[in-house]
Amino acid sequence: MMNKPLLFRFLLGILILFLSVPSLPAIAVNPTLGTIRQLEEVPGQMVYQSRQNLRDTQGNVWIAIAFKRPDDLLYLRLVGFPGVVEIDRTQPLRLIDSLNHTQLASDASAQMFIEGVQPHIGQYDLQPLVSELKPEIPLHLELPTVQGTTVILKLPPSFVQDWIAIASLPD
């Protein structure tokens, strides 16, 4: 039987190996960690996505979903709670890194629902920006609201890594 330090090193080595092999399928071990999922929306149509629960600076919970369909662009959908916030679609989503570099993501909310957009859900085109993102540099989102306030969401590096990985997946 292995002693405890040796067993710990062995298990740690297996974990590091598992996490460093990009060809392994994503497994949701912890819902706060970013993972890439491949889902079949309709027969023959796959979508790749990564979901993350985030809290804004006011403590409100948001769901952030980065996704790409074959022959499509990379989008980010932000979902707040109904009645808490109303997104201002006349302004872009701002992505600001810790070096104060700002990128703007254009609104693509009109493409979400046939019935029309929901005021607490926004969708943004990340495709033109993703090649400039660096997961090692902290990033936050600034989402303008019709109330005149700005929702600030800090992103974990794992989520930005997922965006880059999804964007690079073949169509």
Side-chain angles (χ1 to χ4, degrees):
M1 180 152 174
M2 291 186 180
N3 63 28
K4 287 183 182 180
L6 186 58
L7 178 62
F8 176 75
R9 287 185 199 153
F10 174 75
L11 292 175
L12 183 61
I14 295 294
L15 179 63
I16 290 170
L17 177 64
F18 177 76
L19 294 175
S20 66
V21 178
S23 63
L24 292 175
I27 298 175
V29 176
N30 181 341
T32 62
L33 295 176
T35 58
I36 298 173
R37 295 171 179 88
Q38 180 179 353
L39 307 167
E40 188 170 18
E41 288 186 307
V42 295
Q45 179 178 318
M46 303 305 286
V47 64
Y48 300 96
Q49 69 171 228
S50 179
R51 291 176 175 251
Q52 185 83 37
N53 291 336
L54 304 172
R55 286 198 184 271
D56 64 24
T57 53
Q58 302 301 311
N60 298 312
V61 176
W62 288 77
I63 300 171
I65 307 163
F67 67 96
K68 176 185 173 185
R69 293 179 179 95
D71 302 325
D72 206 352
L73 305 174
L74 177 66
Y75 291 103
L76 176 64
R77 185 173 294 167
L78 298 171
V79 182
F81 281 104
V84 174
V85 69
E86 194 170 328
I87 297 169
D88 183 355
R89 290 186 174 68
T90 66
Q91 298 184 51
L93 174 69
R94 291 183 298 278
L95 293 81
I96 304 171
D97 68 23
S98 62
L99 303 174
N100 212 26
H101 295 125
T102 301
Q103 297 185 60
L104 303 176
S106 60
D107 181 74
S109 299
Q111 301 169 16
M112 276 191 296
F113 304 107
I114 297 171
E115 313 84 42
V117 297
Q118 301 294 315
H120 62 286
I121 302 173
Q123 183 167 294
Y124 300 89
D125 181 3
L126 291 182
Q127 193 68 40
L129 314 176
V130 73
S131 64
E132 301 296 320
L133 297 176
K134 296 175 179 36
E136 62 276 4
I137 300 175
L139 182 69
H140 73 271
L141 306 177
E142 291 186 358
L143 180 65
T145 69
V146 296
Q147 295 89 348
T149 60
T150 300
V151 172
I152 299 174
L153 299 165
K154 293 183 180 179
L155 299 179
S158 62
F159 197 38
V160 177
Q161 290 169 345
D162 285 354
W163 294 0
I164 295 166
I166 291 171
S168 67
L169 290 170
D171 289 338

